[in-house]
Amino acid sequence: DTGVSQDPRHKITKRGQNVTFRCDPISEHNRLYWYRQTLGQGPEFLTYFQNEAQLEKSRLLSDRFSAERPKGSFSTLEIQRTEQGDSAMYLCASSSISGEGQFFGPGTRLTVL
Amino acid sequence: GESVGLHLPTLSVQEGDNSIINCAYSNSASDYFIWYKQESGKGPQFIIDIRSNMDKRQGQRVTVLLNKTVKHLSLQIAATQPGDSAVYFCAERRAGSYQLTFGKGTKLSVIP
């Protein structure tokens, strides 16, 4: 399967704990995006990378959130001191340099107890 | 603020009929649009896209129409099948940006 992959698929954590998610984009894609989706809503943009550079961040990305793409391939999204409001599906997508055709992975469902 | 929205939250169609899912957008600076299909527990699946310099684009069993005058986007699915049952989102991208803005989605139910 050469699509976008995400790990883990599900994560249950206690409030206050840190969590880290991983995304592996389609191999030839330069751009990588993170979105968050809550139940019944469309995905909301968090941030995106062109190669290893983080170029856009949403105001939704509080200082507890950090994303990296150190070698321009896979990316990680870390949430520190998780809160119940962080419970959501975290989606990763990738695209070619044109930015057209963003293809999503299966997502990581986070539940904060 | 400006955002992408949908006319109907749910749509039920008979198997074999054609489906039309509508989307209204208000950002005149958007230059690119995508339709996604999302099944329960899965990530959004790319269906078809269209640039703002086009009015119509066809894929396999799907057609996207763009009316920039009234800022309206539609997805037509021909000969709807039970496997088409899902939530459909339209998404817009503003010129100069790479982030997508999604609407709330339309749930399509296909009646066998």
Side-chain angles (χ1 to χ4, degrees):
Chain A
D1 187 350
T2 57
V4 178
S5 61
Q6 293 187 245
D7 183 71
R9 295 292 309 278
H10 303 274
K11 179 70 177 178
I12 300 174
T13 191
K14 292 183 179 178
R15 190 175 51 187
Q17 297 295 304
N18 299 342
V19 294
T20 300
F21 310 140
R22 175 177 170 129
C23 170
D24 286 87
I26 294 170
S27 59
E28 62 268 26
H29 281 178
N30 304 92
R31 298 191 190 273
L32 185 150
Y33 312 80
W34 285 99
Y35 291 81
R36 181 178 73 183
Q37 185 177 27
T38 53
L39 200 61
Q41 303 295 316
E44 296 174 290
F45 173 81
L46 292 177
T47 188
Y48 97 92
F49 293 83
Q50 178 177 320
N51 300 316
E52 66 275 9
Q54 189 174 15
L55 296 184
E56 258 185 88
K57 288 190 207 180
S58 162
R59 65 181 185 280
L60 293 176
L61 210 68
S62 76
D63 56 6
R64 295 185 299 105
F65 288 67
S66 62
E68 295 183 341
R69 196 183 182 198
K71 297 181 181 179
S73 55
F74 72 91
S75 175
T76 58
L77 178 68
E78 180 183 16
I79 309 174
Q80 296 182 326
R81 306 181 302 282
T82 52
E83 301 173 355
Q84 288 185 325
D86 297 331
S87 294
M89 175 80 88
Y90 290 84
L91 294 161
C92 176
S94 69
S95 76
S96 64
I97 195 70
S98 74
E100 295 186 354
Q102 291 186 24
F103 295 90
F104 282 82
T108 294
R109 178 160 299 283
L110 173 67
T111 302
V112 182
L113 301 176
Chain B
E2 293 180 314
S3 64
V4 176
L6 293 165
H7 292 303
L8 295 172
T10 60
L11 178 65
S12 294
V13 297
Q14 287 289 141
E15 181 179 357
D17 287 352
N18 297 336
S19 302
I20 300 176
I21 301 172
N22 295 305
C23 177
Y25 68 95
S26 57
N27 193 334
S28 57
S30 293
D31 66 350
Y32 177 65
F33 304 86
I34 306 177
W35 279 101
Y36 287 95
K37 171 187 179 184
Q38 189 172 29
E39 296 172 284
S40 181
K42 297 184 178 180
Q45 177 189 347
F46 178 97
I47 301 174
I48 192 167
D49 60 357
I50 189 167
R51 296 176 182 170
S52 60
N53 61 355
M54 303 170 70
D55 298 322
K56 179 179 179 179
R57 191 158 188 231
Q58 288 183 294
Q60 190 174 16
R61 281 202 309 120
V62 294
T63 299
V64 56
L65 298 176
L66 176 63
N67 185 330
K68 294 180 287 295
T69 303
V70 294
K71 297 188 183 67
H72 183 268
L73 193 69
S74 68
L75 177 70
Q76 300 177 0
I77 305 173
T80 314
Q81 303 168 359
D84 295 326
S85 294
V87 177
Y88 289 80
F89 293 98
C90 65
E92 65 171 329
R93 189 188 71 181
R94 232 179 301 182
S97 174
Y98 290 93
Q99 61 176 276
L100 295 177
T101 301
F102 285 77
K104 286 188 169 58
T106 292
K107 183 177 180 180
L108 175 65
S109 297
V110 181
I111 305 164

